[in-house]
Amino acid sequence: MSTAEHYRSNLRDTLFNLFEFLEIQATTLGRGPFTALDEGATRESLRSLEELARTRLAPSFAEADRVPLALDREGNVTLPPALKRSLSAFFESGFHRLEQPEHLGGYGAPPTVWAAGFEFIAGAHASLGFYLFGGIAARVIDRLGTEAQRRLFPPLMIDRPWGATMVLTEPDAGSDVGAGTTSAKKVGDEWHLAGVKRFITNGDFDAVENIVHLVLARPEGAPGGTKGLSLFIVPKFWVNPDGTLGERNGVYCTNLEKKMGIKASATCEMAFGDGRPARGLLLGEAHDGIRQMFHVIEQARMGVGLKSMATLSTAYRNALAYANERVQGPDLLRAADKASPRVPIVRHPDVRRMLMAQKAHAEGMRALCLFTAHVQDRVELEGGHGADAARADDLLNDLLLPLVKGYCSEKAYELLALSLQCYGGSGYCQDYPIEQYVRDQKIDSLYEGTTHIQSLDLIFRKIARDGGATLRGLLGRVQATLDAQEGGDELAGERAALGRALGEVRGMFMALMGKLGESLYHAGFQGNRVLLALAELVVGWLLVRHAARAIERRAARPEDRAFYDGKVASARYFCKNVLPGLALARELVEASDLDLMELPVEAFLGAWPGPERPARASAGAGFCVS
């Protein structure tokens, strides 16, 4: 198989999630802001987008990884030709309008449909997906901007189309955004920014005529920390009131990071105000930068979770194809007979174990992502974020996002090792796409908030802010599935395992609350474990519900029997092999101690190797060759 043909989607499971499980044709489509799409149009759109991803986006996957980006002396970044061809094909298809509201010339697709479509894009070419940020930024400006900003920027960003970035990180601040020093000075009706930002995804590229940077900076006289930050619109080329482009603005890419993966994504160091003013507009005329930027960050975190899930899914399906084709060794039961025929490796128990681990987790992550997107559907249907009727769903969405981002990014990297293992030594070679999958995916646990940032956000913000009421509501949904005996006798064992896991997670949170009364350090030691455990409970719950729905439907659709049996098998594997691990996780939380915090730093090495201690580094630095 050529790496140009690497992408193997799971369109069937996507359609199962949307139309057989979540039933968006009854709950979402044709209602509120989503009246433009019905079930037939949505199915056809997703099939077309999947085909586009497979035939026009995936072919540039390997070439864009191996042909380097180029940065000239004027701060312009040139993309590999194959990547530009794929981007042109995407924009020409019009699918960048899929999730845009109708008043911006879009198709008005709900979050569930956007999430399903983004899986295809990210699975086919992860780096390419990052260059589509202009649509997200346009919606943020449309929601938060002044009347003049809304009238000027979003239509141009979508129609032309333009690129966009989110600009937070600074070299000495890293994830500590509040330590940023980039400044903003009021000059007439605009602002001039000065400073250096690092790890800016696609800070410059030559596939669009303009790039709109959303930049966090501190106005002169503003207090320190995150509360003093404001959000500014800073275009690469100044945009005149009539929509024409003016002069080159004072924002430049000054360096390209050399990375282990997603090499086709231009990760830039950006200089603002070096040599000429970096002109900007205060977004919405409100000094509320962090809250405004979180409209962008939450979309980015959702996208990262989808990217990880998409990578694991295509990796699994590639490994499955290889296991069916690769003939090696006899059946284990006949190994003593030297004359036994060689069999495809899919017949070997260890390979089947690895394949089912990937299958169950990939389907579980897809279920988690699309369930979360469906909660976002309801938020929009009930009036948007912050509306009174949407408050409960708002809180549930906020609770689920750290699971989507943190769990999918961590677990996918672990399971991609199994994907590679299925190939044996061939998987380590560039003849197959898996080695690039591993490199491209690892960044997901590092950026948009590391996994531990997600876990602290879950514990101290998403759970604590309403006294655990949203968490209790989510756990109550799991209990309701048990009480309703979904799946009948066929899933009795799976429900029993789910019930035990629910008890372990409840006990884990009780233990954690007690530990936090002793020291907040316990959140540092146990936060990731708690996030992963809660995510596995939710994934297990969704897989059991999927299996129950599959049991209902397979009698009516015998032609799909294999697919539905596979859904039951995924739930069965997860309940037997993953959920029992939550008992150990609870025990480890209960036994948490502070010994490591009392250990002298020098004990980790015995002594520092030189007179100076290691320099402070940003979280993403480990992903770079430097």
Side-chain angles (χ1 to χ4, degrees), residues 2 31 75-76 80 107 125 128 150 174 244 295 299 356 390 434 442 472 481-482 528 586 597:
S2 165
R31 303 174 61 197
N76 300 305
Y107 303 144
H125 197 323
L128 182 147
R150 294 197 305 270
T244 59
H295 287 272
Q299 284 275 318
M356 184 52 72
I434 181 61
K442 179 54 204 166
R472 289 193 295 274
T481 293
L482 301 175
N528 288 23
R586 174 184 177 177
M597 296 310 297

Side-chain angles (χ1 to χ4, degrees), residues 257-502:
E257 303 291 352
K258 298 174 178 60
K259 309 186 299 291
M260 66 178 276
I262 55 168
K263 294 182 178 182
S265 173
T267 305
C268 300
E269 180 179 88
M270 305 293 294
F272 291 80
D274 184 8
R276 70 168 62 188
R279 304 164 64 191
L281 301 172
L282 180 66
L283 178 61
E285 298 297 341
H287 292 285
D288 197 13
I290 285 295
R291 186 189 67 82
Q292 292 173 324
M293 185 60 96
F294 261 95
H295 287 272
V296 185
I297 292 171
E298 289 178 359
Q299 284 275 318
R301 289 177 175 176
M302 186 75 182
V304 169
L306 286 162
K307 170 180 173 288
S308 283
M309 174 269 287
T311 305
L312 176 61
S313 181
T314 187
Y316 156 64
R317 293 175 76 81
N318 274 279
L320 176 62
Y322 181 85
N324 274 290
E325 297 165 0
R326 172 64 168 157
V327 175
Q328 182 174 312
D331 187 289
L332 190 61
L333 296 180
R334 304 182 63 183
D337 182 358
K338 301 302 182 184
S340 295
R342 310 298 96 171
V343 297
I345 62 173
V346 74
R347 295 279 299 274
H348 298 320
D350 185 55
V351 174
R352 289 197 166 206
R353 173 191 63 82
M354 292 189 289
L355 290 172
M356 184 52 72
Q358 296 167 65
K359 179 182 190 297
H361 281 89
E363 292 176 12
M365 290 178 193
R366 182 176 294 109
L368 173 63
C369 290
L370 294 179
F371 174 74
T372 302
H374 194 230
V375 174
Q376 296 165 10
D377 286 357
R378 295 202 301 268
V379 171
E380 296 299 326
L381 285 169
E382 292 164 357
H385 296 277
D388 290 342
R391 188 58 179 159
D393 285 327
D394 241 341
L395 293 174
L396 179 57
N397 174 61
D398 290 350
L399 179 71
L400 291 169
L401 278 175
L403 308 186
V404 169
K405 198 280 185 186
Y407 179 74
C408 291
S409 64
E410 282 287 334
K411 204 67 183 179
Y413 187 66
E414 174 186 328
L415 289 159
L416 285 171
L418 292 187
S419 302
L420 191 152
Q421 194 77 9
C422 289
Y423 291 87
S426 296
Y428 201 67
C429 301
Q430 289 190 338
D431 300 333
Y432 296 93
I434 181 61
E435 63 86 27
Q436 187 177 335
Y437 288 166
V438 173
R439 292 186 290 105
D440 285 357
Q441 190 276 330
K442 179 54 204 166
I443 186 62
D444 294 351
S445 67
L446 304 175
Y447 62 0
E448 309 308 338
T450 63
T451 305
H452 194 55
I453 287 174
Q454 304 301 316
S455 70
L456 296 181
D457 178 54
L458 173 70
I459 294 168
F460 291 127
R461 292 187 66 247
K462 305 307 173 56
I463 293 175
R465 69 180 176 184
D466 65 353
T470 301
L471 174 64
R472 289 193 295 274
L474 179 60
L475 300 184
R477 294 187 182 206
V478 180
Q479 185 63 56
T481 293
L482 301 175
D483 294 342
Q485 297 186 17
E486 291 187 29
D489 292 343
E490 188 169 347
L491 295 181
E494 287 65 41
R495 289 196 307 274
L498 184 62
R500 290 190 293 271
L502 176 61

Side-chain angles (χ1 to χ4, degrees), residues 8-266:
R8 296 175 185 264
S9 77
N10 197 338
L11 177 63
R12 179 66 184 88
D13 194 46
T14 297
L15 298 178
F16 171 85
N17 272 270
L18 296 182
F19 298 108
E20 297 179 66
F21 180 66
L22 297 172
E23 296 183 324
I24 66 168
Q25 68 273 29
T27 61
T28 303
L29 300 177
R31 303 174 61 197
F34 311 127
T35 55
L37 290 177
D38 59 16
E39 180 178 354
T42 301
R43 285 179 179 270
E44 182 57 34
S45 293
L46 290 174
R47 289 190 183 98
S48 296
L49 182 50
E50 186 273 344
E51 181 181 13
L52 177 76
R54 202 168 18 85
T55 61
R56 304 297 301 277
L57 309 188
S60 61
F61 165 76
E63 183 177 336
D65 177 68
R66 296 163 197 176
V67 175
L69 304 165
L71 174 64
D72 67 20
R73 293 182 178 181
E74 284 72 46
N76 300 305
V77 176
T78 300
L79 301 185
L83 176 56
K84 284 199 281 191
R85 288 195 297 271
S86 289
L87 276 169
S88 294
F90 180 81
F91 288 130
E92 288 167 5
S93 75
F95 274 116
H96 66 291
R97 298 180 181 274
L98 180 64
E99 72 276 16
Q100 299 300 334
E102 289 185 79
H103 73 269
L104 292 180
Y107 303 144
T112 41
V113 177
W114 168 81
F118 188 74
E119 177 191 343
F120 303 146
I121 297 166
H125 197 323
S127 292
L128 182 147
F130 295 134
Y131 289 100
L132 310 180
F133 189 70
I136 294 175
R139 291 199 303 280
V140 170
I141 295 173
D142 184 58
R143 173 175 289 173
L144 303 178
T146 64
E147 181 179 350
Q149 291 166 0
R150 294 197 305 270
R151 187 171 58 250
L152 180 62
F153 284 96
L156 291 169
M157 296 172 73
I158 295 167
D159 292 343
R160 302 307 293 253
W162 288 352
T165 68
M166 52 186 294
V167 185
L168 295 83
T169 306
E170 298 188 10
D172 292 324
S175 297
D176 185 6
V177 177
T181 60
T182 297
S183 63
K185 180 179 180 180
K186 189 80 159 63
V187 180
D189 293 332
E190 60 190 53
W191 295 75
H192 291 182
L193 279 66
V196 176
K197 298 284 188 174
R198 192 184 184 196
F199 294 148
I200 307 308
T201 299
N202 304 333
D204 195 272
F205 59 103
D206 66 338
V208 293
E209 67 174 0
N210 204 9
I211 300 171
V212 176
H213 305 285
L214 298 180
V215 187
L216 278 179
R218 195 178 310 279
E220 289 185 336
T226 56
K227 292 184 178 180
L229 296 174
S230 296
L231 191 58
F232 298 89
I233 302 169
V234 184
K236 177 178 179 178
F237 290 94
W238 191 251
V239 185
N240 297 317
D242 63 358
T244 59
L245 296 185
E247 64 178 3
R248 180 75 156 84
N249 204 0
V251 50
Y252 299 94
C253 174
T254 53
N255 184 53
L256 286 174
E257 303 291 352
K258 298 174 178 60
K259 309 186 299 291
M260 66 178 276
I262 55 168
K263 294 182 178 182
S265 173

